[in-house]
Amino acid sequence: MQLLLEDLATGKGAYENESDQAKILDLMGKQIYRTGIPAGASAADSGTTVQDKVGFLNDTNNDAGIVTLPNGQRYILVVMTNGHNQSGLSGFSRIAEITKNVQKIVYGSDAGNKIENYS
């Protein structure tokens, strides 16, 4: 997933056609399931945008996205979950929390400092 999104973000491989690339990214930015990576990234830094693709079935919830911070920095995040007493879309709040923590650790004001509590 990460390699696929990297190609999409950079317009390489199957995404060399700029029109197709733009259309896919536009659709990913508008998809309706926003409680995973988009919610977590926005909670970590208001103004962050996400183009993502979710997947869910039974006790599996996945989200993969291209995250753009307000300053223009971009990163790709893929979170895949299974089990842990989730059903339906219940795992997306966990994905949001993971996203928020990753973004704070890597891009936040304390980036590079040891964090004792991730809540």
Side-chain angles (χ1 to χ4, degrees):
M1 288 301 303
Q2 180 263 326
L3 294 173
L4 180 81
L5 288 177
E6 189 176 321
D7 281 353
L8 178 59
T10 59
K12 295 181 181 170
Y15 307 103
E16 289 180 352
N17 180 296
E18 289 181 28
S19 175
D20 291 346
Q21 176 200 25
K23 184 172 184 165
I24 292 168
L25 289 170
D26 181 58
L27 290 170
M28 289 172 62
K30 295 177 183 175
Q31 63 89 5
I32 62 171
Y33 301 101
R34 309 304 290 170
T35 58
I37 292 175
S42 181
D45 195 353
S46 180
T48 300
T49 61
V50 178
Q51 296 152 309
D52 65 322
K53 172 67 177 92
V54 302
F56 48 89
L57 180 64
N58 300 326
D59 67 345
T60 299
N61 289 226
N62 301 324
D63 201 350
I66 302 166
V67 181
T68 304
L69 301 173
N71 66 6
Q73 282 185 292
R74 291 177 16 180
Y75 69 93
I76 293 170
L77 182 63
V78 178
V79 181
M80 297 183 166
T81 68
N82 186 7
H84 306 287
N85 297 318
Q86 59 184 342
S87 63
L89 304 175
S90 68
F92 281 93
S93 60
R94 181 176 286 122
I95 292 172
E97 190 66 24
I98 291 167
T99 301
K100 182 175 82 171
N101 288 328
V102 166
Q103 190 165 311
K104 283 183 175 182
I105 291 166
V106 178
Y107 294 99
S109 60
D110 290 329
N113 296 328
K114 183 176 179 182
I115 298 176
E116 298 295 330
N117 183 351
Y118 294 104
S119 59

